[in-house]
Amino acid sequence: MSKELLTEKESATGAEAKRVGLLTRQPLFTLGKIAFWAFLIVTLQATGLVVTLTIFNGAASRDSVTFGVLALTATILFITRVRWVQAISILVGIVILYIVVAEPFAIEAFANPKGPNGGFGHFIGNVLAPSTVMVALVAGVATVLRNYCLIKPQKPRWLAPAFSVIAGMAIGALFIGALSPASVPVDTVAPLQAPQIPAGSGVPTSVDMGMPHAPISVSQLQAPTNALQVDHFTLTAQPAKLTPTSDITIPAWTFNGTAPGPTLHVRQGDEVVVTLVNRLPFGVTIHWHGVRIANTADGVAGVTQDAVKPGQSYVYRFIVPDAGTYWYHSHQFSDEETTNGLYGMLIVDPATPTIHADVDYALALHTWNGPNNQPLYTMNASAGTLNQTARPGQWVRLRIANTAETPSGNPQLVTLVGAPFQVVSLDGHDLHGPQWLNNTPLPIGSAQRYDLLFRMPAHGSVALVTADDSQRYARTPALLIGQGALPATLPALTRWFDLTTYGTPAVDTLTPQSHFNATYNITLGNQMGTSLGRMGMTYTLNGKVFPDTGMIMVKEGQRIKLHFVNQTNLYHPMHLHGHVFTVLDQNGQPLTGSPVHQDTVLVPPHATYDVAFVANNPGIWMLHCHNFLHANWGMDMMVMYNVSTPYTVGSASGNFPD
Ligand code: C2O
Ligand code: CU
C-alpha cells in the first residue's frame, strides 16, 4: 500500500478517496478504466445486437452474438494488457464453472452434433463466449479491487467492492441471459439454415455410383406409357410457417405450403406424372418411398438425377404397381430437408378393392425441432387434437406413417383407444388373417407405415395416441374419431406388437427354405470417425461409411437374402429402394404368423434380421438406414444391377442424397 505503487498521474488523492461509487472512483489505473468502460460498452453493444437481431430476424443467432462478443472481448483483453497467465487461469476456472451451469448445452453440443444446438461452434457459443465475457468482468473487478487496496483506507471500506461485485453479477447475468437458449421465447423456434454443400478435405468431389461401362443407364429405365389412367400433380417446394398449435410457429420447407404436403390419391396401375417446382433456395428431389418404381423416377440426388436447382422444375413419371400406403420425401440432404417438412403421403387404391372402409384417413407422425429446441411431436402437423368424423358402426381405416424419427431413434409407439383394431397392412402390403388387438402399442420405425382397421363403437369416440420417448402415452398430439372426448386415463404401455407372430400363415414366394442366389451379411455398427469430412459418431455398414460402403451386385431374376446383424444399442429401420423385402426371421426365429412384406424393416438393438427380395427391377438402388441422422453419418450403400449413371455424388455436382 505504499505510494510508489500508484501511477504517476493518478495517485489517490484525498478528494478521490472520498468519492465512493462504482463508476467514479474505481478504475484509477488507465488500464483498469479501459477495461471497465470497454466492458460496459461491449455489454451495451451485445445487448443492442441481440435486440436488433430479434427484431429483424425473429431470433438472435447465437453465433452472431458470440462472434461480436468474442471479438470485442479479445480487443479489450489486448488493450488492457491483462496478465495472460492470470487471464488464462481465470478463463479455465470460469469454463469449468460455466460447464457445470451450462452442462446440458455443452453435452448436447457434442452428443447431438447435428442437432440445433450441436457442434463445436455451438459449444463455443454456449460455453466459451460467456466464459470469456466473464473474464473481462473478473479483470474489471480485479482492477477495481486492486485500486481499492492502493488508496488510503477510508470508510465505508466495503462499499465499493460490494458495488463492483453486484454490478458484475448483474452484467454477467445479462450476458448469460442474452446468450442462453432460455432467452428464446416459448413460441418461437430457431430459423432454418439452408443445407450447405459440404466442402474441404474428406468430402468426396465426384463419386460415380454406377457401373461406368454398363450397357444401360438409369436414364433409360423409364416407366412404360401404356397405362389407362394418367394422374397429374404439381408439387411446389416452398417455405412456409406452420402452426402446430395456436401459439407455436414453426418455419418449414414444404410441398405446396403444408407439411405433410398434399396427400396424393391414385389407383393401382395408374401412370402418375408429378411436376416438381423448386421455389426454395437450395436443391431438392422427390423420392417415392416404397413404390416399386422405374429407376429413372426414384428421386435420389446423384444417382437417378441431379438435385433440382432453385427456380427449376422436374417431371417424375411412374407407374404405381402396388396398392397401399406410401409416402414421398426429398432425397437431397434428406436429413435436413425431410425433417424440416419436405414430405407427404401417397395412397394407392387397389385396382380391385380388398378391404372395405367407410372412412379412410392418412396420418403422418412427424417430430419437429420445436420451441427451445425441444422435440415437438405432431400428427399431420398438429401438436394438439385432430378430429375426424365417423358414425357408429362405420369401418375406419387409418394409414399411419412415421415420417421422422424420435429423438432417441426408438420407434414411435402408437395405439388405438376405444375400439379393438386390426393391423391390416405394413408398409402398404396386406397381412394375412390379422387378429384383433386391444390397446397394443405399435412400434413404427422411421419411414414405416401401419394401416389399422376398426369399427366405430355404438357410442363414444376412438382415439389414436402416441407415446414419446418417456415411454408413456401422451394426451397430445392425438386423433379423435367420432363424437366425444379423450378418455380420462390413457392405457399403460403393454407388450409391443410383434410382426413376427401376428396374423396367420399363408403361402409366399420367398420363405426361409427358398433357394437364394446370394446371401449378404450386413453388419450395422456405430463408432467415432469421419464422414463427409466431419468428425463425430458415424453409423456404419460392415464397418464402413458412405460412400465407401461398397455395393451389392445383383442380376435380374436373382433371389437375394440379406442378413442384418445389429451390433449397436439402437434401432435401425433399414430401407431398400425399388423392391419389397420379405421378412424371413428375427434372431433366427422364422415368422409364425402372416407373411410380412416391407420396404423398411426395423432391426432392433443387438438383433439379427433376415430379409429377402427378388431382383426384378433393374437400376441403382439405395439400401440405407432410414434414421435420417444415421443415413447422414454413413449408413448407406447401393444395390446394383449392371447399370450406369450420368450423375455423381459429391461437392462437384452438389448432390448429397442424405
Ligand atoms: Cu424414404 Cu432412401 O428413402
Ligand atoms: Cu440407423
Side-chain angles (χ1 to χ4, degrees), residues 287 289 327 329 331 575 577 624 626:
H287 166 61
H289 183 111
W327 66 296
H329 61 84
H331 222 306
H575 170 50
H577 289 208
H624 64 93
H626 218 292

mmCIF file of all heavy atoms in Angstrom, residues 287 289 327 329 331 575 577 624 626, ligand 1:
data_model
loop_
_atom_site.group_PDB
_atom_site.id
_atom_site.type_symbol
_atom_site.label_atom_id
_atom_site.label_comp_id
_atom_site.label_asym_id
_atom_site.label_seq_id
_atom_site.Cartn_x
_atom_site.Cartn_y
_atom_site.Cartn_z
ATOM 1 N N HIS A 287 -38.373 -38.480 -53.689
ATOM 2 C CA HIS A 287 -38.284 -39.939 -53.721
ATOM 3 C C HIS A 287 -39.642 -40.497 -53.326
ATOM 4 O O HIS A 287 -40.286 -39.980 -52.403
ATOM 5 C CB HIS A 287 -37.192 -40.399 -52.741
ATOM 6 C CG HIS A 287 -37.235 -41.869 -52.450
ATOM 7 N ND1 HIS A 287 -37.064 -42.815 -53.434
ATOM 8 C CD2 HIS A 287 -37.455 -42.560 -51.301
ATOM 9 C CE1 HIS A 287 -37.172 -44.032 -52.885
ATOM 10 N NE2 HIS A 287 -37.410 -43.899 -51.593
ATOM 11 N N HIS A 289 -41.264 -43.151 -51.663
ATOM 12 C CA HIS A 289 -40.808 -44.178 -50.730
ATOM 13 C C HIS A 289 -41.699 -45.416 -50.754
ATOM 14 O O HIS A 289 -42.896 -45.338 -50.489
ATOM 15 C CB HIS A 289 -40.744 -43.605 -49.308
ATOM 16 C CG HIS A 289 -40.206 -44.584 -48.317
ATOM 17 N ND1 HIS A 289 -38.975 -44.446 -47.700
ATOM 18 C CD2 HIS A 289 -40.702 -45.751 -47.858
ATOM 19 C CE1 HIS A 289 -38.769 -45.465 -46.906
ATOM 20 N NE2 HIS A 289 -39.806 -46.280 -46.981
ATOM 21 N N TRP A 327 -45.317 -42.947 -49.101
ATOM 22 C CA TRP A 327 -45.106 -41.521 -48.847
ATOM 23 C C TRP A 327 -43.981 -41.027 -49.730
ATOM 24 O O TRP A 327 -43.315 -41.821 -50.408
ATOM 25 C CB TRP A 327 -44.878 -41.250 -47.361
ATOM 26 C CG TRP A 327 -43.624 -41.799 -46.711
ATOM 27 C CD1 TRP A 327 -43.282 -43.110 -46.559
ATOM 28 C CD2 TRP A 327 -42.588 -41.035 -46.099
ATOM 29 N NE1 TRP A 327 -42.096 -43.210 -45.876
ATOM 30 C CE2 TRP A 327 -41.648 -41.955 -45.576
ATOM 31 C CE3 TRP A 327 -42.364 -39.673 -45.915
ATOM 32 C CZ2 TRP A 327 -40.480 -41.547 -44.898
ATOM 33 C CZ3 TRP A 327 -41.203 -39.274 -45.248
ATOM 34 C CH2 TRP A 327 -40.286 -40.207 -44.749
ATOM 35 N N HIS A 329 -40.717 -37.974 -50.173
ATOM 36 C CA HIS A 329 -39.879 -37.009 -49.454
ATOM 37 C C HIS A 329 -38.664 -36.664 -50.287
ATOM 38 O O HIS A 329 -38.313 -37.398 -51.215
ATOM 39 C CB HIS A 329 -39.459 -37.564 -48.083
ATOM 40 C CG HIS A 329 -38.648 -38.824 -48.115
ATOM 41 N ND1 HIS A 329 -37.280 -38.833 -48.293
ATOM 42 C CD2 HIS A 329 -39.008 -40.128 -47.988
ATOM 43 C CE1 HIS A 329 -36.831 -40.083 -48.255
ATOM 44 N NE2 HIS A 329 -37.859 -40.900 -48.087
ATOM 45 N N HIS A 331 -34.899 -36.467 -51.400
ATOM 46 C CA HIS A 331 -33.744 -37.339 -51.189
ATOM 47 C C HIS A 331 -32.463 -36.600 -51.562
ATOM 48 O O HIS A 331 -31.525 -37.173 -52.114
ATOM 49 C CB HIS A 331 -33.879 -38.649 -51.963
ATOM 50 C CG HIS A 331 -33.448 -39.849 -51.158
ATOM 51 N ND1 HIS A 331 -32.212 -39.939 -50.561
ATOM 52 C CD2 HIS A 331 -34.105 -40.989 -50.858
ATOM 53 C CE1 HIS A 331 -32.132 -41.109 -49.929
ATOM 54 N NE2 HIS A 331 -33.259 -41.765 -50.081
ATOM 55 N N HIS A 575 -33.942 -49.662 -45.167
ATOM 56 C CA HIS A 575 -34.833 -49.458 -46.318
ATOM 57 C C HIS A 575 -34.110 -49.748 -47.621
ATOM 58 O O HIS A 575 -32.985 -49.302 -47.813
ATOM 59 C CB HIS A 575 -35.322 -47.999 -46.296
ATOM 60 C CG HIS A 575 -36.054 -47.568 -47.532
ATOM 61 N ND1 HIS A 575 -37.091 -48.288 -48.079
ATOM 62 C CD2 HIS A 575 -35.919 -46.465 -48.320
ATOM 63 C CE1 HIS A 575 -37.549 -47.652 -49.154
ATOM 64 N NE2 HIS A 575 -36.850 -46.547 -49.317
ATOM 65 N N HIS A 577 -34.644 -49.260 -51.743
ATOM 66 C CA HIS A 577 -35.466 -48.622 -52.773
ATOM 67 C C HIS A 577 -35.864 -49.634 -53.851
ATOM 68 O O HIS A 577 -35.117 -50.573 -54.136
ATOM 69 C CB HIS A 577 -34.661 -47.518 -53.473
ATOM 70 C CG HIS A 577 -34.412 -46.302 -52.629
ATOM 71 N ND1 HIS A 577 -34.245 -45.054 -53.164
ATOM 72 C CD2 HIS A 577 -34.298 -46.137 -51.287
ATOM 73 C CE1 HIS A 577 -34.039 -44.165 -52.200
ATOM 74 N NE2 HIS A 577 -34.057 -44.806 -51.047
ATOM 75 N N HIS A 624 -30.397 -48.245 -47.218
ATOM 76 C CA HIS A 624 -29.875 -47.382 -46.154
ATOM 77 C C HIS A 624 -30.744 -47.425 -44.918
ATOM 78 O O HIS A 624 -31.881 -47.871 -44.952
ATOM 79 C CB HIS A 624 -29.744 -45.933 -46.652
ATOM 80 C CG HIS A 624 -31.027 -45.245 -47.017
ATOM 81 N ND1 HIS A 624 -31.735 -44.476 -46.134
ATOM 82 C CD2 HIS A 624 -31.726 -45.214 -48.181
ATOM 83 C CE1 HIS A 624 -32.816 -43.988 -46.737
ATOM 84 N NE2 HIS A 624 -32.840 -44.431 -47.985
ATOM 85 N N HIS A 626 -33.081 -45.658 -42.395
ATOM 86 C CA HIS A 626 -33.979 -44.515 -42.574
ATOM 87 C C HIS A 626 -34.059 -43.638 -41.329
ATOM 88 O O HIS A 626 -34.884 -42.729 -41.254
ATOM 89 C CB HIS A 626 -35.367 -44.960 -43.016
ATOM 90 C CG HIS A 626 -35.975 -44.031 -44.022
ATOM 91 N ND1 HIS A 626 -36.357 -42.738 -43.716
ATOM 92 C CD2 HIS A 626 -36.228 -44.183 -45.344
ATOM 93 C CE1 HIS A 626 -36.843 -42.170 -44.806
ATOM 94 N NE2 HIS A 626 -36.772 -43.014 -45.807
HETATM 95 CU CU1 C2O B 1 -37.543 -42.884 -47.710
HETATM 96 CU CU2 C2O B 1 -33.976 -43.610 -49.371
HETATM 97 O O1 C2O B 1 -35.728 -43.230 -48.553
#
